[in-house]
Amino acid sequence: MLRQLLPLPPRTGESIKAQMERLAQILSKQNEYRKIEARLHKERQFNRKIELNAQLQLLKTEIFKLEN
């Protein structure tokens, strides 16, 4: 019954505990993504924007891997 309330579907053979841990990791990485995105918009130096953008791309791929 608890699985129906979770926002992402379980992986094949995944326990509820593992699914909850994966959800917590996703939420944490999404929070970090939003913080870096805010820093990116405030940053003026081009080279720092490039670094922040690279961090965002890395986080985006990590989130995608956790969701699928």
Side-chain angles (χ1 to χ4, degrees):
M1 189 182 318
L2 179 62
R3 285 187 191 258
Q4 295 172 351
L5 299 174
L6 295 176
L8 72 147
R11 292 178 175 164
T12 306
E14 184 178 39
S15 68
I16 292 177
K17 182 179 178 183
Q19 187 180 4
M20 294 294 288
E21 290 171 359
R22 188 167 55 100
L23 179 61
Q25 288 177 342
I26 290 172
L27 294 175
S28 172
K29 289 191 183 291
Q30 286 175 340
N31 189 24
E32 186 179 349
Y33 186 90
R34 283 190 291 274
K35 287 179 183 179
I36 293 175
E37 196 172 39
R39 283 180 43 207
L40 176 67
H41 291 296
K42 291 178 185 177
E43 187 60 54
R44 291 185 177 195
Q45 292 188 11
F46 183 72
N47 60 342
R48 289 188 186 156
K49 282 188 171 196
I50 291 174
E51 292 173 14
L52 291 172
N53 210 359
Q55 290 177 6
L56 286 176
Q57 292 303 318
L58 180 65
L59 276 172
K60 188 183 286 188
T61 57
E62 290 175 1
I63 292 169
F64 181 76
K65 286 178 184 178
L66 285 171
E67 287 177 343
N68 297 322

